[in-house]
Amino acid sequence: MPPPAHFKNAFAVLTSNPLSTSDVLVVGAGPVGLTMACELARHGVRPRIIDRLKQPSPYCRAIGVTTRTLEVWEDMGIAREMIDAGIWIEGSRTFVVGQIVDTRFDLSDLPFANLGLPQNDTERVLTRHLASLGVEIERGVTLESLTQTDGEVETVLARGPDEKEEARFRYVIGCDGAHSAVRRALGISFEGSPIPAEFMLGDVHIDWTTPRGMVMRIFRPGPNGMPDFLVAVPLPEIGRYRVSILSPPELAAPAEGTGHGIQSERPAPGIAPLQAAVDRLLPEKAVLSDLRWSSIFRISMRLASKYRQGNVFIAGDAAHIHPPTGGQGMNTGIQDAYNLGWKLALVLNGVGRETILDSYEAERHPVGKDVVDRTSRAIPKNSREDEDRLTDTQVLISYRGSPWIENSPNGAQPVGPAAGDRAPDCQGLRRTGVGFPFRLFDVLRGAEHVLVVYCTDSDPDPELADLAAFGTELQLADALRFAAIVKSAAKATKLPPVPFYEDAGSDFEKTYGSGQTAMLVRPDGYLSWRGDSWRESELRRQLERIFRL
Ligand SMILES: Cc1cc2nc3c(=O)[nH]c(=O)nc-3n(C[C@H](O)[C@H](O)[C@H](O)COP(=O)(O)OP(=O)(O)OC[C@H]3O[C@@H](n4cnc5c(N)ncnc54)[C@H](O)[C@@H]3O)c2cc1C
């Protein structure tokens, strides 16, 4: 097929191969694009992933990794590697108008605490993982334009001024950051405003008495609601911190821009302004040395009006940007990708209904709005004390309001999580023939939906046999697994036709209630449906909404 007329004459050299349609293009190999590509590959779809940078960015922006992101990484099989490279953020030491407050984060009731991991390391591990799944990043390739026709997306990809490629895809996902070319090509508005100040970042060694693993935050109220401040976040290397301060006036840009993020085109400031901020704000003596890199950065608060147009999606900073308070940006973007990856793969693999793609924006746009609102509110008062201890861990994020989630109308509000909530982990599940306990996350891990059935009957065998027959009838072998949790395995003596685990420590019962229950858990660990019994017709209806039954 010849290239469309509007592509002709535009470029000096076009690749001569006739256009062929690939499935998915991921634009941008930051943490969100990498997660997107890894998730697609894990679910059996091989994407192309491009990044305009020839080398990964040398700057460390995100450090804070939330509990929920670590749960996602555990499912992806990379949590150990990430934890090995990081440092646990154990609390914060805050100086405000002469007072010192030490706060320790207690997240011992969750699977993971707060990890500190430089964004470059996150990207390094994700890149290696992606390569292990058989996908290499095409670096030095820029998306120049895209147009949509007949359910396909036509793109122009540039490898330099003289080398352009026209390529068609069924889906394109813009993970191309705050200044997203994909979002602009779609004409999606990015409403919000910039913070009228500039900030400075530096990676530096600090010699002081602050205990290792503590974030240091020093604030002094300033004019116009913008305080003088210094925040030092510990890096894994002993004594090293990523420090941010309000940029001193002498470093101000001649013209106020509205950009967001690292201003890498501006000259990198030296160590003096950082040392001056410490001397000015900290009562104790602290010596800064060995500045490895520094930069000016700017912050805006903006939310895309839509996350999808036709066959093109946006995720991560392309969809939402906000202050780094609470370390939410990268984490939110990673979870955008984790939400969309399995849905796209299900559709492309011909098993899922295309309509489930609508649930991406329905579920993730409210999350982006909440993050932008919360982090923007936190900026002038420098305090998030009114928030739940768990808010920043992101384990409370729920899709309960999503039209794609179904609670059984027959049952009362269930004990523990309802449909739309994240399925929390529980421990102490025993399996016949296995000499160690399982966690519920072990049972759920993988690319499929899992129908978890909790049997309280003293003789679960008949129910398990019926459940197996239901599975045979559905014929969704690669997309849906069954797992039974039995209160007591005493009577389940035969080799059951459905994998079953005994709730030996009663932890499942404590988390999900003591009554008979069934729940459909999505590949991203959220409850798609929950009811009293898997025999309820609403379960079948929910399966029919997701799968091509
Ligand atoms: C100072 C600071 C501290 C922060 N701290 C935290 C924190 O602790 N925790 C947290 O969760 N978040 C934090 N963030 C936010 C976090 O850095 C971002 O949310 C995250 O980088 C977003 O990832 P992304 O993949 O969406 O975008 P990016 O990381 O911006 O990646 C986008 C990629 O797309 C590529 N690209 C752009 N345009 C094109 C194109 N046309 N063609 C091809 N490629 C293209 C770019 O080269 C880039 O590699 C912080 C941010 C700042 C500035």
Side-chain angles (χ1 to χ4, degrees):
M1 183 187 291
H6 66 274
F7 283 151
K8 287 183 182 166
N9 307 324
F11 309 111
V13 177
L14 285 168
T15 44
S16 55
N17 295 339
L19 288 178
S20 65
T21 302
S22 307
D23 280 341
V24 185
L25 173 70
V26 178
V27 184
V32 178
L34 287 166
T35 305
M36 190 76 240
C38 286
E39 277 302 274
L40 286 167
R42 186 165 73 100
H43 288 265
V45 170
R46 191 189 160 86
R48 281 181 71 181
I49 173 168
I50 59 166
D51 198 292
R52 68 176 174 197
L53 295 180
K54 291 208 164 101
Q55 298 292 329
S57 163
Y59 300 110
C60 158
R61 287 175 289 160
I63 299 175
V65 177
T66 63
T67 302
R68 182 60 194 150
T69 294
L70 281 161
E71 290 182 353
V72 169
W73 286 346
E74 186 187 14
D75 185 41
M76 292 170 68
I78 51 177
R80 185 200 49 75
E81 217 176 325
M82 296 289 194
I83 292 169
D84 286 353
I87 176 175
W88 293 112
I89 308 278
E90 294 180 357
S92 65
R93 169 166 290 185
T94 309
F95 280 82
V96 192
V97 279
Q99 278 196 316
I100 304 180
V101 181
D102 275 359
T103 310
R104 295 273 171 185
F105 306 139
D106 180 9
L107 299 176
S108 50
D109 50 341
L110 296 178
F112 301 102
N114 281 321
L115 188 71
L117 181 66
Q119 186 168 325
N120 342 29
D121 285 328
T122 297
E123 292 176 12
R124 177 180 52 78
V125 174
L126 283 167
T127 301
R128 200 159 58 199
H129 183 58
L130 185 62
S132 77
L133 295 166
V135 180
E136 295 290 338
I137 303 166
E138 298 172 46
R139 288 208 163 272
V141 180
T142 302
L143 175 101
E144 287 207 339
S145 69
L146 66 78
T147 45
Q148 298 197 62
T149 47
D150 302 331
E152 285 188 346
V153 192
E154 294 174 351
T155 63
V156 176
L157 312 179
R159 283 191 170 76
D162 297 332
E163 195 185 338
K164 315 270 179 179
E165 175 193 352
E166 295 172 358
R168 281 197 190 132
F169 300 89
R170 279 187 66 188
Y171 296 99
V172 170
I173 307 151
C175 306
D176 48 347
H179 304 283
S180 170
V182 174
R183 188 189 63 237
R184 285 164 199 245
L186 297 177
I188 294 177
S189 63
F190 204 34
E191 297 299 328
S193 54
I195 291 182
E198 290 196 328
F199 306 89
M200 178 188 160
L201 278 183
D203 176 330
V204 72
H205 185 278
I206 310 183
D207 198 359
W208 58 10
T209 59
T210 305
R212 185 163 150 75
M214 297 284 272
V215 175
M216 172 67 99
R217 305 172 347 126
I218 319 170
F219 294 101
R220 185 189 290 161
N224 311 323
M226 183 54 68
D228 194 5
F229 77 90
L230 178 142
V231 175
V233 185
L235 295 170
E237 192 179 325
I238 291 175
R240 288 211 80 83
Y241 290 83
R242 211 278 314 283
V243 179
S244 42
I245 60 169
L246 199 60
S247 189
E250 62 271 19
L251 296 178
E256 287 261 313
T258 54
H260 176 88
I262 303 260
Q263 309 288 295
S264 53
E265 69 292 348
R266 304 254 300 268
I271 200 168
L274 294 175
Q275 183 68 60
V278 170
D279 295 344
R280 186 169 71 239
L281 291 167
L282 193 66
E284 67 173 294
K285 181 86 186 136
V287 179
L288 275 60
S289 59
D290 190 19
L291 181 70
R292 288 204 181 138
W293 63 263
S294 66
S295 175
I296 300 294
F297 76 101
R298 301 180 63 84
I299 301 171
S300 294
M301 301 159 282
R302 294 181 191 279
L303 178 68
S305 55
K306 293 197 274 182
Y307 279 21
R308 176 189 184 186
Q309 192 162 295
N311 285 11
V312 184
F313 300 81
I314 52 173
D317 275 17
H320 42 76
I321 51 172
H322 47 80
T325 330
Q328 301 285 289
M330 176 189 76
N331 290 284
T332 304
I334 285 175
Q335 287 157 55
D336 290 343
Y338 190 59
N339 180 290
L340 180 57
W342 66 266
K343 295 172 184 173
L344 258 184
L346 216 53
V347 171
L348 285 165
N349 290 335
V351 186
R353 295 192 181 278
E354 197 153 5
T355 43
I356 62 165
L357 297 178
D358 294 339
S359 67
Y360 169 64
E361 180 177 301
E363 293 174 354
R364 294 307 297 176
H365 191 271
V367 174
K369 180 171 183 340
D370 181 61
V371 176
V372 173
D373 289 349
R374 280 192 299 113
T375 53
S376 305
R377 275 200 307 273
I379 269 285
K381 59 184 176 140
N382 305 304
S383 160
R384 300 163 63 78
E385 283 155 14
D386 52 338
E387 290 195 349
D388 189 291
R389 147 190 97 90
L390 297 181
T391 304
D392 281 345
T393 67
Q394 302 184 320
V395 297
L396 299 181
I397 290 172
S398 171
Y399 307 138
R400 275 194 201 193
S402 162
W404 294 88
I405 295 296
E406 197 74 34
N407 251 324
S408 156
N410 303 334
Q413 180 66 21
V415 175
D421 293 343
R422 146 193 174 270
D425 196 15
C426 43
Q427 318 220 5
L429 303 175
R430 304 301 308 221
R431 190 163 190 187
T432 308
V434 180
F436 50 84
F438 286 80
R439 294 157 56 211
L440 184 63
F441 278 7
D442 298 325
V443 178
L444 299 179
R445 190 171 308 127
E448 314 92 345
H449 279 69
V450 185
L451 181 65
V452 177
V453 173
Y454 180 52
C455 306
T456 53
D457 204 311
S458 58
D459 180 5
D461 281 354
E463 174 145 27
L464 298 189
D466 286 355
L467 191 56
F470 180 51
T472 310
E473 181 204 328
L474 287 174
Q475 294 191 322
L476 283 169
D478 294 335
L480 175 67
R481 273 188 294 122
F482 289 0
I485 315 279
V486 298
K487 202 177 171 79
S488 159
K491 288 275 174 60
T493 46
K494 294 170 226 145
L495 277 182
V498 171
F500 84 98
Y501 301 79
E502 183 185 351
D503 185 23
S506 298
D507 202 26
F508 185 90
E509 185 177 312
K510 276 182 225 134
T511 313
Y512 290 88
S514 57
Q516 183 102 2
T517 191
M519 51 200 194
L520 180 64
V521 185
R522 311 188 320 186
D524 61 1
Y526 275 82
L527 299 193
S528 174
W529 169 88
R530 185 170 181 191
D532 293 338
S533 165
W534 57 271
R535 298 176 202 267
E536 289 176 20
S537 55
E538 285 78 16
L539 170 61
R540 178 142 201 137
R541 215 179 65 200
Q542 182 70 347
L543 291 169
E544 282 168 359
R545 289 176 83 199
I546 301 165
F547 300 108
R548 292 173 179 276
L549 288 177

